[in-house]
Amino acid sequence: MEIKDWETTDVVICGCGPTGAMLSAYLGQMSVPNVVLERDVDITTDPRGIALDEDGIRFLQGVGIYDSIFSEIGSCMGRFNFIGGTEPVLEKNPILALDYSTTTGGTGHIGFLCHKQPTLEENLRKAMSHSTFCTLRSESTVYELWEDEQWIYCKYRDAREAERRIRARFFVGADGKTGFTRKQYLEPKGVHMEKVTEEFYQETWVALNWQITLPIPESHPEFPLWTLGYTPEQVYDLFFPYEFRFLCNPNRPAVCGRFGLQTDRLWRFEFVVRPGEDGYEMAKPESLKKIVFPYVTHQGSRYGLAHDVQFPEDCIHVIRSRPFTFSARSCNAWAKDRVILCGDAAHVFPPFGGQGIASGFRDAISLAWRLALLCRHHPATSRFHEQVLAAWYEERKQQLEKSLATTIANGKFVCEANFGKIFIRDWYLWLLQLFPSWKRHLQSGRRKDGLIRYVHSEGMPFMPELNGGLSLPQVFCKDMTGKVLFTDDVIFKCKQKSIFRLFVYLLSDEEIPLTRTVLREVEELSQGEFATNQVPFVIENITKPGAEDDRNLFQIASAEEFARSPLCRGRPEPTYYEPFLIRTVVCAKYIIVRPDRVVFAACEDEQSLKTAIGCMKDILRASSYILTA
């Protein structure tokens, strides 16, 4: 078959769920042509994943849809309340409450967003549409792949069932755990899912989504709370309280809470299917009446009434009620030759940490810049991609294992059934929370561990001796007009040629002249990758505004300034915000950052900066550094 019969692009992505769309959008930002083949006609209307952590929010910000996060996609999850006991009561004092409304995680964002996945995907596709390098083809079903030394060849059927042919430098399977890429193409080549812990962790739960309609006195005149003065909104808040609840019920562990925008009135309830029970039977209305409805039925004594009060059943619309089986597993390889796995195709998570979509996002952004590196700087005949993708897998696996361990620990905490262990756990938590500093430490949850830092091994593209491998903190800053911004937007929207980004962090504007002299010295060494007049300066204290060319000058902003800005609209005001986190954590003046927000090298002087630029150029040329360091 002649080459002229094949469409050619750089990257083909199979699947346009959250991971595939995120990957496409970031490739588009880096001017990498990509085609996304999606089997379905439209975005599914079924809300599946509902939680996104602060890294995920940061990556949404990175593709330019921050304005939609709190206005369309979702809202702050607030606290995660762990409720003990066996009574079906949501309004109990928690044995532990993790506060995810703060900005303690180092990203400048809240800890968790409760989102509506269809709206999330819709906004990601809008981000794709803003780039001429991204092409989405719906109703396109991949059915055959093969490759040679330079290309991966793909056949798919379009909406009219016509055969289409496309070849690419790389093919990425973001088509889920049962998708074509892994199940049909890579498993016969030895790529398979395997457990990630010694103990095989697998359970079946039922996931229930409700959409709630407010009862009103006209529609439900007999509802007893009207005579007590309650309004429809107050009734809704009573029966479906704000914030998430992890019901540590040894008889039937469950998780519940609102998701999406507060005005969407969407509610998720998940509960375990016990041994001997059939998941599909447990998802039927008669089972839900026994398991879920007690939680939306209040004792009459709470209101001084002689009989119990149930939320009106006809105000509950069931969107989803089905079992799902989850486990903690990851593939033994995420790439083979020119075929790569991302998201659920590469790994699957239990649902106790909101890490499924977020981990797919991390896969996508960390892969996108590597594919840009390979497509922009290395010919198709090069085998350099094998080392790059192997190092990508080893690096991602570090954070994946950490996230999985936290998620499994959360699940075991919720599902503990041994009454002796429950007694010890509850008393231990009670004692710890008597001390304010320990209580705040507990409330930080996994965020207390701080930003991820990768441990270097062969081929990983960062310089550990220059504090590389650390996730770059994000703080708030303001330009010389007073407009408040995120530092990521300052760093990554500057017009630097390089895949990498260089920015300068200073204590005072008095250091600017000497710093610019250093930048001019290294500009030629970087061979145009970093132009002096394009490097942003993030400065703690600007004493003489207007004394220098201020287009690229940005001053650290306070929590109060952020709270007054449009960026804070729809989200909680920042608490426990650390404005000087870049200085205290990264500890350098000249900072080179990868597009996945990981520090490549943090340099304090001209010599270390020259060394870092030399290593960066080695990566761009595929020379010895990345292969043997």
Side-chain angles (χ1 to χ4, degrees):
M1 190 175 297
E2 296 186 23
I3 295 299
K4 67 180 182 180
D5 296 328
W6 290 81
E7 179 186 2
T8 298
T9 190
D10 280 349
V11 180
V12 169
I13 302 168
C14 184
C16 198
T19 299
M22 178 68 77
L23 175 60
S24 175
Y26 272 104
L27 287 173
Q29 282 188 353
M30 299 175 202
S31 304
V32 178
N34 64 91
V35 175
V36 184
L37 304 177
E38 168 55 47
R39 180 182 59 189
D40 294 330
V41 180
D42 297 308
I43 298 169
T44 178
T45 58
D46 179 19
R48 291 157 294 172
I50 61 171
L52 189 65
D53 74 4
E54 60 194 296
D55 280 349
I57 300 171
R58 187 179 190 179
F59 298 148
L60 292 178
Q61 171 203 336
V63 294
I65 58 176
Y66 178 80
D67 289 345
S68 298
I69 293 176
F70 297 103
S71 62
E72 299 177 30
I73 297 172
S75 53
C76 177
M77 293 188 87
R79 295 190 308 172
F80 287 2
N81 297 289
F82 291 82
I83 307 294
T86 58
E87 307 90 349
V89 179
L90 299 181
E91 289 291 10
K92 287 178 63 178
N93 288 329
I95 56 175
L96 174 65
L98 306 182
D99 189 356
Y100 286 110
S101 65
T102 67
T103 55
T104 56
T107 66
H109 293 298
I110 57 169
F112 271 96
L113 178 81
C114 54
H115 64 87
K116 187 165 58 175
Q117 185 172 335
T119 308
L120 171 70
E121 293 189 34
E122 180 183 350
N123 276 274
L124 282 171
R125 293 191 183 190
K126 286 180 183 177
M128 291 169 55
S129 69
H130 294 157
S131 172
T132 58
F133 294 95
C134 304
T135 302
L136 170 61
R137 293 176 186 163
S138 299
E139 294 185 89
S140 297
T141 304
V142 174
Y143 67 91
E144 188 174 356
L145 291 177
W146 72 93
E147 51 193 309
D148 58 25
E149 289 297 311
Q150 299 184 40
W151 300 96
I152 176 78
Y153 299 86
C154 169
K155 287 185 178 181
Y156 67 97
R157 294 185 181 88
D158 64 15
R160 297 185 298 275
E161 290 295 316
E163 179 184 278
R164 301 284 296 275
R165 304 171 183 140
I166 188 170
R167 67 171 187 165
R169 293 279 303 274
F170 300 97
F171 184 96
V172 181
D175 47 349
K177 58 187 177 181
T178 60
F180 173 88
T181 310
R182 179 171 61 83
K183 296 295 290 183
Q184 303 298 319
Y185 185 74
L186 288 182
E187 283 192 358
K189 295 177 179 289
V191 176
H192 55 271
M193 284 279 192
E194 54 188 23
K195 63 182 182 180
V196 294
T197 61
E198 290 301 318
E199 177 184 358
F200 185 62
Y201 186 78
Q202 178 171 306
E203 287 185 346
T204 299
W205 284 49
V206 169
L208 174 73
N209 289 340
W210 283 353
Q211 185 157 35
I212 309 301
T213 302
L214 291 185
I216 58 176
E218 291 78 12
S219 63
H220 296 78
E222 302 302 319
F223 188 67
L225 297 191
W226 306 140
T227 59
L228 300 179
Y230 287 93
T231 67
E233 286 286 354
Q234 289 172 332
V235 168
Y236 173 65
D237 290 338
L238 282 170
F239 286 87
F240 303 95
Y242 177 66
E243 299 182 328
F244 248 67
R245 276 139 177 90
F246 291 79
L247 306 173
C248 307
N249 183 340
N251 297 329
R252 178 86 67 182
V255 182
C256 66
R258 304 179 187 182
F259 66 98
L261 298 179
Q262 296 303 324
T263 53
D264 291 331
R265 296 197 174 87
L266 296 169
W267 197 63
R268 166 68 62 89
F269 194 100
E270 297 178 3
F271 63 88
V272 72
V273 176
R274 296 184 299 202
E277 294 177 337
D278 180 271
Y280 290 96
E281 290 297 320
M282 301 305 294
K284 290 182 178 179
E286 51 270 26
S287 296
L288 300 182
K289 287 264 191 171
K290 298 176 183 177
I291 296 169
V292 184
F293 273 82
Y295 286 97
V296 292
T297 302
H298 293 173
Q299 290 184 351
S301 58
R302 176 174 176 176
Y303 306 101
L305 300 174
H307 51 82
D308 292 345
V309 182
Q310 180 183 296
F311 189 84
E313 189 174 344
D314 60 349
C315 290
I316 297 171
H317 171 61
V318 178
I319 301 174
R320 155 192 275 250
S321 181
R322 67 183 65 172
F324 67 102
T325 299
F326 59 79
S327 58
R329 294 184 298 159
S330 175
C331 284
N332 59 328
W334 293 4
K336 187 169 182 61
D337 299 321
R338 295 184 178 276
V339 179
I340 308 162
L341 297 174
C342 259
D344 288 351
H347 45 75
V348 290
F349 275 83
F352 297 109
Q355 291 299 297
I357 293 178
S359 287
F361 282 1
R362 293 187 191 101
D363 294 348
I365 190 172
S366 60
L367 177 62
W369 76 265
R370 288 169 164 90
L371 293 178
L373 168 74
L374 294 169
C375 293
R376 284 166 52 176
H377 292 275
H378 303 285
T381 54
S382 168
R383 302 300 298 176
F384 183 52
H385 66 273
E386 295 175 349
Q387 291 93 338
V388 171
L389 296 176
W392 168 69
Y393 169 69
E394 291 299 326
E395 191 177 282
R396 280 291 302 121
K397 193 166 66 168
Q398 290 184 30
Q399 187 170 34
L400 184 87
E401 289 172 351
K402 181 179 178 181
S403 298
L404 277 169
T406 301
T407 300
I408 291 172
N410 289 344
K412 290 181 176 179
F413 186 94
V414 174
C415 298
E416 181 59 66
N418 183 295
F419 284 94
K421 292 181 179 180
I422 291 171
F423 178 81
I424 295 170
R425 176 198 71 192
D426 292 357
W427 272 100
Y428 173 73
L429 290 173
W430 180 81
L431 286 171
L432 282 182
Q433 293 176 83
L434 292 177
F435 303 91
S437 61
W438 293 359
K439 182 176 181 178
R440 181 184 165 187
H441 187 71
L442 275 175
Q443 288 179 338
S444 297
R446 66 182 180 85
R447 304 171 86 196
K448 65 180 179 290
D449 299 327
L451 296 155
I452 185 72
R453 182 186 292 276
Y454 293 113
V455 177
H456 190 270
S457 63
E458 182 177 345
M460 290 186 183
F462 60 85
M463 301 182 69
E465 68 274 21
L466 292 176
N467 211 10
L470 170 72
S471 180
L472 177 71
Q474 177 173 230
V475 296
F476 315 136
C477 64
K478 57 185 179 181
D479 64 18
M480 292 302 96
T481 70
K483 180 181 179 181
V484 176
L485 305 159
F486 289 107
T487 48
D488 276 7
D489 294 339
V490 166
I491 296 164
F492 290 100
K493 290 184 179 178
C494 60
K495 296 180 180 179
Q496 296 182 30
K497 173 185 174 182
S498 180
I499 290 174
F500 298 87
R501 287 290 186 268
L502 170 65
F503 75 100
V504 173
Y505 189 93
L506 302 176
L507 298 182
S508 169
D509 55 350
E510 294 177 356
E511 303 176 67
I512 292 176
L514 179 59
T515 304
R516 282 198 168 134
T517 300
V518 171
L519 292 178
R520 284 191 288 269
E521 290 289 327
V522 301
E523 182 175 346
E524 184 176 352
L525 175 65
S526 76
Q527 296 178 330
E529 297 291 326
F530 302 133
T532 302
N533 62 356
Q534 298 294 340
V535 175
F537 285 62
V538 178
I539 307 170
E540 291 187 9
N541 184 29
I542 295 182
T543 60
K544 301 175 183 178
E548 296 277 349
D549 180 3
D550 61 7
R551 288 173 300 173
N552 293 320
L553 302 186
F554 303 89
Q555 185 172 5
I556 295 295
S558 67
E560 293 73 22
E561 288 172 313
F562 181 85
R564 294 193 300 266
S565 77
L567 295 179
C568 198
R569 191 176 298 133
R571 57 159 278 178
E573 295 184 5
T575 51
Y576 305 125
Y577 166 63
E578 299 179 51
F580 307 123
L581 199 58
I582 295 177
R583 166 165 53 87
T584 58
V585 172
V586 184
C587 310
K589 183 179 293 185
Y590 309 97
I591 305 169
I592 300 176
V593 192
R594 304 179 340 193
D596 54 357
R597 283 55 176 166
V598 171
V599 174
F600 173 76
C603 312
E604 188 52 39
D605 53 34
E606 180 179 348
Q607 185 53 52
S608 58
L609 179 58
K610 287 181 177 180
T611 300
I613 289 175
C615 289
M616 182 193 74
K617 287 164 58 182
D618 285 344
I619 291 175
L620 298 177
R621 295 196 304 260
S623 58
S624 60
Y625 172 75
I626 195 170
L627 301 178
T628 62

